[in-house]
Amino acid sequence: MKSFFKKKPLVIYSPMDGEVVPLTQVPDDVFASGAMGDGVAINPTGDTVYAIADAQADIFRTLHATGFTFDNGLEMIVHFGVDTVALNGEHFTKMSDGGKVTVGDPLVGFDLEAIRSKVPSVLTPVVITDMDVIKEFKVVAEGTVKAGDPLLEVYL
């Protein structure tokens, strides 16, 4: 018997306050071309990166990016800006050790203006890095978002 109930999506929440922009606008070919995966970017206006869902979080040593692994195997990354790894953690503040996190947990603080003055872009990709495990996704936010607003719906 065919089910009339559509499977509920995995909701991914915005990791920060800012403006939603297409991933293609990120001035880094790895992200803009989709080579790293697909998703969306945020032009940040706040000062904190938060957990995008209930997941396992791996905060990079240089604090510029956080990887997320979900119980269902899905993997994502939030990568703050372009060429920010070169800052080696400068202007970032560790707020969590990572591990099991809950949506909205503060992970990394940042000094937006200091970073903006030192890198080509602060556009922050939110990317599904293993597209082969999903059926589809859609961006459900546009314009201004606050941390914790629904950003993506992912269907496995």
Side-chain angles (χ1 to χ4, degrees):
M1 183 171 166
K2 187 175 179 178
S3 173
F4 291 100
F5 298 101
K6 189 172 184 179
K7 191 170 183 181
K8 289 177 69 170
L10 171 64
V11 178
I12 304 302
Y13 298 89
S14 180
M16 60 185 55
D17 297 344
E19 295 289 323
V20 177
V21 297
L23 201 55
T24 55
Q25 290 186 13
V26 176
D28 180 318
D29 287 342
V30 172
F31 290 110
S33 70
M36 180 73 99
D38 209 345
V40 69
I42 298 177
N43 189 7
T45 57
D47 62 3
T48 305
V49 176
Y50 297 90
I52 60 175
D54 298 348
Q56 187 73 21
D58 179 27
I59 301 169
F60 289 39
R61 180 187 57 77
T62 52
L63 307 179
H64 76 288
T66 302
F68 293 91
T69 304
F70 297 81
D71 290 342
N72 58 24
L74 180 70
E75 294 181 353
M76 294 186 67
I77 189 169
V78 174
H79 189 283
F80 188 95
V82 174
D83 295 342
T84 49
V85 66
L87 296 175
N88 202 29
E90 183 181 5
H91 307 299
F92 291 98
T93 305
K94 188 175 186 179
M95 300 174 81
S96 169
D97 290 329
K100 192 70 174 162
V101 295
T102 301
V103 64
D105 285 351
L107 302 178
V108 177
F110 54 87
D111 182 334
L112 182 58
E113 294 312 312
I115 295 170
R116 188 187 312 271
S117 72
K118 293 184 176 185
V119 298
S121 175
V122 293
L123 289 181
T124 299
V126 180
V127 176
I128 302 164
T129 55
D130 57 350
M131 294 296 293
D132 54 326
V133 303
I134 70 163
K135 291 184 178 148
E136 69 174 301
F137 82 96
K138 61 182 170 181
V139 178
V140 294
E142 60 182 46
T144 302
V145 291
K146 292 283 188 194
D149 286 350
L151 184 65
L152 302 171
E153 288 182 353
V154 179
Y155 296 87
L156 302 170

